[in-house]
């Protein structure tokens, strides 16, 4: 069984849940930008929920199906077509050998996850099939898919068509989107006025938003507390002596445009990070289109942990809803 | 009349660089596959190509404006 890429779309890549354990060596965890949607797509086609899928952003690929199989597409809303016939999103459907899967215009969200029964079976690197182009790891030769690629698919399990994720378990960002932020180690670098402004202002997603990070623009420039430049730090007030960056941390180079570091981000550097977007809201970032308005909401550790527990409960509900 | 729609969300540009004239002007012949503009997204510029031949009528979306997927960018007359 194979999937043949007729048209690649934009930066469509093989992704699973990533390769944790190497961040201290500068190799990011990687994996799906919307992990919940990837898990849902896999559960719909009877795969392990961490199996590899295709992640496509803003624009769908065109794919020729190599053998009879079951498919599901989750995440963003984008009309799905099988030989030109529309099929529903967040729902498993049968496809026959030789049929062509294609997509209409994106209507909501940013990234779709295409799961195939059996899962994509490219060679894993460091325990994961996730594509990390900068490190040339995972996927097909460590790069996004190209026309003519023939992607191997594993053995079909017990996939059933017509399984569907209930509407209340399809998670999407609202407009404006709300991202909860936990202030961090360098929060006190900002003046009180700038701390308040960060949460009060409406930001919009800039065009510089990808798997490494999402940049936001439109809020007021930030002011920093006066200091003596520390040994080893750059001269800009947003510079620090190099420190660690966590998944979700918010750096603001020059104090102008916040960047939330995402799955393929670097693990450290010399910009202060004002805090981090909580883990429960990171999937939502993966579904933000450019120019979407966003509010950052201040939260604390208790609320962040409660939100994480809530996400876990939602995932359990999803597993129960799709258990065959 | 045929619409050319944006394949993806981003920022639409009429010109390849700010110094150059727009890709097309009213009355220009457009062949299938001709570039009519650029969409900037994820630090890259993607060429928008005509999917059918015709005569260029006008840009509908402004230069340097934010567009959504499926937004009409320009129109052709037969």
């Amino acid at each position: 069984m194979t999937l043949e890429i007729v048209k690649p779309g934009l930066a469509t890549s093989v992704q699973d849940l990533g390769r944790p354990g190497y961040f201290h060596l500068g190799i990011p965890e990687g994996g799906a930008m919307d992990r919940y949607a990837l898990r849902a797509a896999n559960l719909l086609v009877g795969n392990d929920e961490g199996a590899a899928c295709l992640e496509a952003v803003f624009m769908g690929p065109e794919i020729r199906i190599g053998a009879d199989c079951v498919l599901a597409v989750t995440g963003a809303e984008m009309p799905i077509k099988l030989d030109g016939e529309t099929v529903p999103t967040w729902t498993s459907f049968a496809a026959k050998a030789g049929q062509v899967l294609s997509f209409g215009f994106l209507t909501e969200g940013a990234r779709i996850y295409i799961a195939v029964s059996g899962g994509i079976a490219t060679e894993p690197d460091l325990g994961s099939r996730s594509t990390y182009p900068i490190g040339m790891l995972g996927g097909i030769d460590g790069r996004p898919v190209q026309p003519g690629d023939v992607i191997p698919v594993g053995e079909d399990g017990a996939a059933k068509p017509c399984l569907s994720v209930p509407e209340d378990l399809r998670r999407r960002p609202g407009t404006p989107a709300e991202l909860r932020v936990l202030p961090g180690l360098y929060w006190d670098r900002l003046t009180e006025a700038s701390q308040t402004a960060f949460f009060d202002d409406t930001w919009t997603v800039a065009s510089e938003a990808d798997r490494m990070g999402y940049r936001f623009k439109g809020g007021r420039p930030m002011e920093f507390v006066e200091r003596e430049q520390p040994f080893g730090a750059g001269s800009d007030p947003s510079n620090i002596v190099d420190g660690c960056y966590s998944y979700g941390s918010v750096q603001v180079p020059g104090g102008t445009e916040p960047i939330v570091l995402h799955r393929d981000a670097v693990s450290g550097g010399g910009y202060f990070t004002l805090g981090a977007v909580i883990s429960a809201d990171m999937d939502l970032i993966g579904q933000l289109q450019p120019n979407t308005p966003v509010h950052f909401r201040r939260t604390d550790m208790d609320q962040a942990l409660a939100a994480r527990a809530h996400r876990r409960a939602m995932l359990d509900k999803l597993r129960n809803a799709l258990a065959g | 009349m045929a619409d050319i729609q944006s394949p993806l969300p981003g920022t639409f540009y009429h010109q390849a660089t700010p110094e150059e004239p727009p890709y097309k002007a009213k009355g220009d012949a457009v062949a299938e596959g001709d570039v009519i503009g650029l969409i900037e997204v994820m630090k890259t510029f993607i060429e928008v190509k005509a999917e059918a031949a015709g005569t260029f009528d006008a840009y509908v979306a402004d230069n340097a404006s934010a567009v959504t997927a499926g937004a009409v960018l320009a129109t052709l007359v037969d």
Side-chain angles (χ1 to χ4, degrees):
Chain A
M1 167 61 181
T2 55
L3 298 176
E4 184 194 337
I5 303 296
V6 182
K7 290 183 187 168
L10 174 72
T12 301
S13 62
V14 174
Q15 299 294 342
D16 55 20
L17 289 174
R19 51 177 67 79
Y22 304 95
F23 208 34
H24 65 296
L25 303 174
I27 298 171
E29 216 176 328
M33 291 284 284
D34 182 347
R35 295 156 66 82
Y36 180 82
L38 176 121
R39 289 176 193 268
N42 277 319
L43 290 169
L44 283 169
V45 300
N47 290 347
D48 286 342
E49 58 188 58
C53 295
L54 285 174
E55 176 184 271
V57 57
F58 304 141
M59 225 177 135
E62 199 173 300
I63 299 169
R64 187 170 294 114
I65 309 299
D68 293 4
C69 64
V70 175
L71 299 169
V73 182
T74 61
E77 287 298 317
M78 198 186 273
I80 312 169
K81 291 169 188 164
L82 190 60
D83 277 354
E85 297 281 325
T86 303
V87 292
T89 58
W90 294 88
T91 302
S92 62
F93 56 93
K96 298 217 171 306
Q99 286 194 303
V100 173
L101 181 72
S102 64
F103 296 88
F105 292 122
L106 175 71
T107 56
E108 198 186 352
R111 286 176 173 81
I112 54 168
Y113 293 86
I114 306 167
V116 52
S117 51
I120 287 171
T122 47
E123 210 47 50
D125 281 327
L126 300 175
S128 165
R129 297 186 166 91
S130 287
T131 311
Y132 174 51
I134 293 174
M136 291 176 67
L137 293 174
I140 301 194
D141 301 331
R143 56 160 172 80
V145 302
Q146 289 176 0
D149 279 348
V150 176
I151 301 172
V153 174
E155 285 298 307
D156 201 333
K160 281 179 284 192
C162 303
L163 263 180
S164 193
V165 174
E167 189 61 36
D168 63 329
L169 294 179
R170 304 178 184 186
R171 193 168 183 245
R172 303 192 178 92
T175 304
E178 291 215 343
L179 300 175
R180 288 166 286 187
V181 171
L182 191 62
L185 196 57
Y186 304 101
W187 179 243
D188 294 333
R189 286 293 301 124
L190 296 176
T191 62
E192 249 176 70
S194 284
Q195 290 176 345
T196 307
F198 173 69
F199 290 115
D200 284 350
D201 288 348
T202 301
W203 301 87
T204 56
V205 178
S207 68
E208 303 91 342
D210 59 19
R211 292 186 44 83
M212 280 174 275
Y214 258 64
R215 186 185 282 260
F216 297 86
K217 60 186 180 186
R220 281 167 278 180
M222 294 174 192
E223 284 162 4
F224 293 86
V225 174
E226 288 288 324
R227 68 163 181 195
E228 198 179 314
Q229 183 182 342
F231 178 76
S235 57
D236 189 274
S238 67
N239 287 138
I240 55 166
V241 178
D242 281 11
C244 302
Y245 294 160
S246 72
Y247 168 54
S249 59
V250 187
Q251 58 174 239
V252 196
T256 53
E257 297 179 344
I259 301 168
V260 179
L261 300 184
H262 221 293
R263 305 298 309 177
D264 285 355
V266 295
S267 55
Y271 287 116
F272 93 114
T273 51
L274 58 78
V277 172
I278 65 172
S279 60
D281 289 350
M282 289 300 287
D283 284 354
L284 289 182
I285 295 180
Q287 294 298 352
L288 295 179
Q289 288 186 17
N291 307 306
T292 306
V294 171
H295 285 138
F296 294 105
R297 289 275 173 256
R298 185 170 187 160
T299 193
D300 60 28
M301 185 59 87
D302 286 346
Q303 289 172 336
L305 291 173
R308 179 182 286 189
H310 183 262
R311 291 280 284 148
R312 202 176 293 130
M314 186 173 170
L315 188 56
D316 282 337
K317 263 197 207 167
L318 176 75
R319 289 176 182 133
N320 287 333
L322 299 181
Chain B
M1 294 283 280
D3 292 337
I4 298 176
Q5 290 172 281
S6 182
L8 73 180
T11 306
F12 179 56
Y13 294 99
H14 297 183
Q15 306 135 273
T17 66
E19 294 75 34
E20 287 176 63
Y23 283 99
K24 296 288 177 188
K26 192 176 176 67
D28 284 357
V30 176
E32 189 184 333
D34 275 7
V35 177
I36 66 105
L38 298 174
I39 299 283
E40 182 191 11
V41 74
M42 296 204 308
K43 304 172 199 162
T44 45
F45 289 89
I46 289 118
E47 292 180 337
V48 180
K49 294 175 180 168
E51 291 193 342
T55 303
F56 195 80
D57 184 43
Y59 285 107
V60 176
D62 288 340
N63 187 45
S65 63
V67 295
T68 56
V72 177
L73 302 175
T75 54
L76 302 182
V77 286
D78 301 324

